[in-house]
């Protein structure tokens, strides 16, 4: 197992286009998290899955954002009608049954640039 | 509303000396704290943690201190090495919570 994998690593898109990112967690981890990090800030929580169920969403996750985790394996994060303010690093993380207690394993992120 | 604050954006230390990174928080419900280390173009990696029932946790060169009354924690790195140069994030969570609240990070440079 090579850890948490995120694809693509970089994405440049025009304003108004839709984009989709993929995250493959560590295989034995049942919990998956999405965070967003903008320049000069720490990561900010977006959403959390336990297996296939999306159990928590941040108010940062506007209606243009949707996340799925079919079959409790990989996850996708889609942003519709992208805006320049969506430019950020999108980080995926996973953890086992201990959840936050043992910390997460983060992927390397997908850097989104909206032009 | 920044519940976790790292007021020093950057820190430079000579190799072999002690690095002290500070973090303050406002939410008294936080009960678990972690430090993450981040290199450029990589995701954050877990470094060390501390529960609110303790005031110190040590792992090799890294020690985290927690002062609950002051709502303050610090990370000590002794001795500092050039490979420690990275951005360090403090993070906190509440009991039963599913998310971490991160600070804005401190960029540590260890000068050989």
């Amino acid at each position: 197992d090579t850890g948490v994998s995120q694809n693509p690593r970089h994405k440049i898109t025009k304003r108004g286009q839709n984009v989709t990112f993929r995250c493959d967690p560590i295989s034995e981890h049942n919990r998956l998290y999405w965070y967003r990090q903008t320049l000069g800030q720490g990561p900010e929580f977006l959403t959390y899955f336990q297996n296939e169920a999306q159990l928590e969403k941040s108010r940062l996750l506007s209606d243009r954002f949707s996340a799925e985790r079919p079959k409790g394996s990989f996850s996708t994060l889609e942003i519709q009608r992208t805006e320049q303010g969506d430019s950020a690093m999108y980080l995926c993380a996973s953890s086992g049954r201990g959840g936050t207690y043992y910390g997460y394993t983060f992927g390397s992120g997908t850097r989104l640039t909206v032009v | 509303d920044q519940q976790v604050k790292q007021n020093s954006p950057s820190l430079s230390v000579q190799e072999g000396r002690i690095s002290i990174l500070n973090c303050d928080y406002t939410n008294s419900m936080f009960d678990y704290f972690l430090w993450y280390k981040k290199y450029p173009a990589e995701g954050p990696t877990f470094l060390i943690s501390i529960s609110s029932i303790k005031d110190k946790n040590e792992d090799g060169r890294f020690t985290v201190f927690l002062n609950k009354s002051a709502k303050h924690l610090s990370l000590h790195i002794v001795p500092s090495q050039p490979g420690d140069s990275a951005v360090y994030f403090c993070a906190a969570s509440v009991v039963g919570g599913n998310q971490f609240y991160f600070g804005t990070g401190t960029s540590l440079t260890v000068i050989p």
Side-chain angles (χ1 to χ4, degrees):
Chain A
D1 196 339
T2 56
V4 178
S5 175
Q6 291 189 247
N7 288 288
R9 291 296 303 272
H10 303 273
K11 179 71 177 178
I12 300 174
T13 190
K14 291 184 178 180
R15 190 164 48 114
Q17 298 293 304
N18 298 346
V19 293
T20 300
F21 311 139
R22 176 178 170 126
C23 171
D24 288 273
I26 292 173
S27 57
E28 61 265 31
H29 284 178
N30 64 333
R31 300 174 187 226
L32 186 145
Y33 313 82
W34 286 98
Y35 279 73
R36 180 176 73 183
Q37 185 179 10
T38 53
L39 199 61
Q41 299 297 314
E44 295 174 292
F45 173 79
L46 292 178
T47 191
Y48 157 65
F49 289 86
Q50 185 167 321
N51 300 311
E52 67 276 8
Q54 187 174 21
L55 297 183
E56 192 169 342
K57 293 197 294 185
S58 161
R59 67 181 188 279
L60 293 175
L61 214 65
S62 75
D63 56 5
R64 295 185 298 106
F65 288 70
S66 62
E68 294 182 342
R69 191 182 182 198
K71 301 178 184 178
S73 55
F74 70 93
S75 175
T76 58
L77 178 67
E78 180 182 16
I79 308 174
Q80 296 183 328
R81 305 181 303 281
T82 52
E83 301 173 356
Q84 287 188 321
D86 297 331
S87 296
M89 175 74 82
Y90 290 85
L91 292 163
C92 176
S94 68
S95 70
R97 295 188 185 277
T100 55
Y101 188 75
Y102 297 110
Y104 303 151
T105 301
F106 279 94
S108 297
T110 293
R111 180 166 295 284
L112 173 66
T113 302
V114 181
V115 298
Chain B
D1 178 24
Q2 192 74 27
Q3 298 188 59
V4 178
K5 301 178 184 179
Q6 293 177 256
N7 293 319
S8 298
S10 62
L11 175 68
S12 291
V13 172
Q14 287 288 136
E15 181 179 3
R17 306 294 287 268
I18 185 170
S19 295
I20 300 176
L21 294 89
N22 294 302
C23 177
D24 297 290
Y25 61 96
T26 57
N27 189 343
S28 57
M29 297 299 292
F30 287 148
D31 74 326
Y32 195 67
F33 305 88
L34 294 85
W35 285 92
Y36 278 88
K37 177 179 178 179
K38 186 180 185 303
Y39 292 116
E42 295 183 11
T45 56
F46 170 75
L47 189 58
I48 193 169
S49 65
I50 189 166
S51 164
S52 60
I53 62 174
K54 295 186 175 182
D55 55 16
K56 177 182 174 181
N57 189 28
E58 199 169 349
D59 183 3
R61 297 185 297 114
F62 302 92
T63 303
V64 57
F65 294 92
L66 175 62
N67 183 333
K68 285 179 59 181
S69 61
K71 294 191 178 68
H72 177 83
L73 64 157
S74 61
L75 175 67
H76 293 209
I77 306 173
V78 184
S80 301
Q81 300 174 353
D84 296 329
S85 297
V87 177
Y88 289 78
F89 291 99
C90 170
S93 69
V94 300
V95 176
N98 297 310
Q99 63 171 287
F100 282 111
Y101 297 84
F102 284 82
T104 52
T106 296
S107 179
L108 173 66
T109 301
V110 180
I111 304 164

